[in-house]
Amino acid sequence: MVFRGAEENQQMQKREKSFGIQMLSVQPDTKPKGCAGCSRKIKDRYLLKALDKYWHEDCLKCACCDCRLGEVGSTLYTKANLILCRRDYLRLFGVTGNCAACSKLIPAFEMVMRAKENVYHLDCFACQLCNQRFCVGDKFFLKNNMILCQTDYEEGLMKEGYAPQVR
């Protein structure tokens, strides 16, 4: 196998709960739109459009952490009548699992590495014999559900006489 970089722990189970955020420039000759958050007219130079509604930049916030969603990214998430940032959506509703190396819980929002069906913390994704960490592009081997660096794998080949299979 070749280490290609971190991927996110779990994809959201229901993609339809993710919505885009657009930043629009207010045209001076148009009637001011009402903000879905505070109900006041939007007289700012820019406004946000999300969930088919218009928002002041300060009014479109995550219900948990209060971060401004227009600054955090171009996506917001909704569930249980809450508007959430990605991190809080995954924290509240994401699927968690256990690391194949240390058996500790991996929060749904944490970056992970995968090797076949195994999932690892980034810090745990290392050769399980010499603890060498892998860099992007490094080869690693999965033997009896253990992650091995090329050196340890080849030493095992010589000792056991098994045929090499790069994955």
Side-chain angles (χ1 to χ4, degrees), residues 11-28:
Q11 298 265 335
M12 286 186 322
Q13 291 180 341
K14 295 184 179 181
R15 277 292 195 202
E16 68 273 8
K17 299 298 181 187
S18 162
F19 298 93
I21 301 171
Q22 294 176 296
M23 179 173 276
L24 305 173
S25 178
V26 176
Q27 302 301 320

Side-chain angles (χ1 to χ4, degrees), residues 42-106:
I42 302 172
K43 298 177 183 175
D44 303 339
R45 184 173 176 183
Y46 296 100
L47 59 86
L48 298 174
K49 183 177 181 185
L51 304 171
D52 291 325
K53 298 175 183 175
Y54 297 96
W55 309 77
H56 289 106
E57 290 179 81
D58 288 335
C59 291
L60 187 59
K61 295 181 180 181
C62 174
C64 286
C65 69
D66 235 14
C67 71
R68 292 172 41 160
L69 294 172
E71 292 177 355
V72 174
S74 59
T75 307
L76 64 84
Y77 301 83
T78 64
K79 190 161 182 172
N81 292 323
L82 297 172
I83 296 175
L84 303 165
C85 67
R86 178 176 180 77
R87 181 177 175 89
D88 285 326
Y89 179 84
L90 290 173
R91 184 176 58 78
L92 294 171
F93 303 110
V95 178
T96 60
N98 292 331
C99 176
C102 72
S103 300
K104 292 181 182 171
L105 187 69
I106 301 174

Side-chain angles (χ1 to χ4, degrees), residues 109 128 135:
F109 57 83
Q128 291 176 313
C135 297

